[in-house]
């Protein structure tokens, strides 16, 4: 046991980490639910599969994702030291969620220090899960926006995940 500690106990850390937790809040105040599950089950919605933390530190981008239903995530000590811009987005099964289906908190700036963890605390993502246009007939209700992850076909979720 002592030999293991001598070999593995002094790993070097080259960067900082970020910790956060999250909840999904429905965009409509007419819903009784204060929060919704990652698979809300509401008509026209699909599953929010991942929550993605994005960062840019001194011009270098990076990201880390976690399963939405974990409700908490911590990066490794992967972020370079310096000033970081940090933001969070949802991702669907078929790709990144369409920008008009959610509202995420504003980008925050934090100082990343080697060996230390930056805490973003609890993050709320406001997601469209009601009063959305029909994903199969978007022209029928042009004033309405699509729901998060847009239901069965995920037609409104561009990008690859």
């Amino acid at each position: 046991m002592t030999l293991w500690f001598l070999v593995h106990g002094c790993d070097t850390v080259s960067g900082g980490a970020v910790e956060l937790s999250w909840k999904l809040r429905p965009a409509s105040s007419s819903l009784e639910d204060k929060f919704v599950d990652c698979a809300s089950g509401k008509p026209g919605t699909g599953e929010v599969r991942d929550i993605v933390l994005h960062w840019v530190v001194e011009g270098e981008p990076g990201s880390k994702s976690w399963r939405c239903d974990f409700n908490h995530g911590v990066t490794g000590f992967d972020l370079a030291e310096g000033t970081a811009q940090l933001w969070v987005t949802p991702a669907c099964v078929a790709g990144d969620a369409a920008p008009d289906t959610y509202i995420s908190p504003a980008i925050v700036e934090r100082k990343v220090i080697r060996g230390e963890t930056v805490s973003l605390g609890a993050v709320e993502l406001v997601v469209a899960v009601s009063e959305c246009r029909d994903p199969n007939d978007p022209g029928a209700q042009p004033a309405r926006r699509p729901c998060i992850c847009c239901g069965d076909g995920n037609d409104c979720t561009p990008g690859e995940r």
Side-chain angles (χ1 to χ4, degrees):
M1 180 70 165
T2 305
L3 181 59
W4 179 88
F5 180 74
L6 292 173
V7 173
H8 298 286
C10 296
D11 289 339
T12 59
V13 174
S14 60
V18 177
E19 176 181 32
L20 69 152
S21 59
W22 56 84
K23 284 289 197 181
L24 303 179
R25 181 178 287 281
S28 172
S29 60
S30 65
L31 291 178
E32 291 181 16
D33 302 329
K34 297 301 176 211
F35 297 102
V36 293
D37 293 329
C38 299
S40 73
K42 307 282 185 196
T45 66
E47 178 185 357
V48 176
R49 186 181 70 189
D50 296 324
I51 299 298
V52 185
L53 170 68
H54 306 268
W55 64 81
V56 175
V57 182
E58 306 300 335
E60 291 296 318
S63 66
K64 170 79 174 154
S65 64
W66 300 272
R67 291 291 305 204
C68 177
D69 54 2
F70 289 177
N71 296 318
H72 181 261
V74 181
T75 69
F77 290 95
D78 301 329
L79 284 76
E81 284 191 280
T83 301
Q85 287 79 40
L86 305 159
W87 68 100
V88 178
T89 60
C92 306
V93 172
D96 295 336
D100 59 346
T101 65
Y102 68 91
I103 301 168
S104 62
I107 296 172
V108 296
E109 195 169 271
R110 297 287 189 273
K111 183 74 173 166
V112 176
I113 299 170
R114 187 182 68 162
E116 293 188 14
T117 301
V118 172
S119 176
L120 294 183
V123 175
E124 279 187 5
L125 293 161
V126 177
V127 295
V129 294
S130 66
E131 301 175 12
C132 303
R133 70 175 173 240
D134 181 351
N136 298 318
D137 190 9
Q141 302 159 324
R144 291 186 173 187
R145 65 180 178 181
C147 277
I148 189 75
C149 299
C150 294
D152 302 326
N154 292 313
D155 293 332
C156 74
T157 52
E160 294 183 15
R161 181 123 230 68

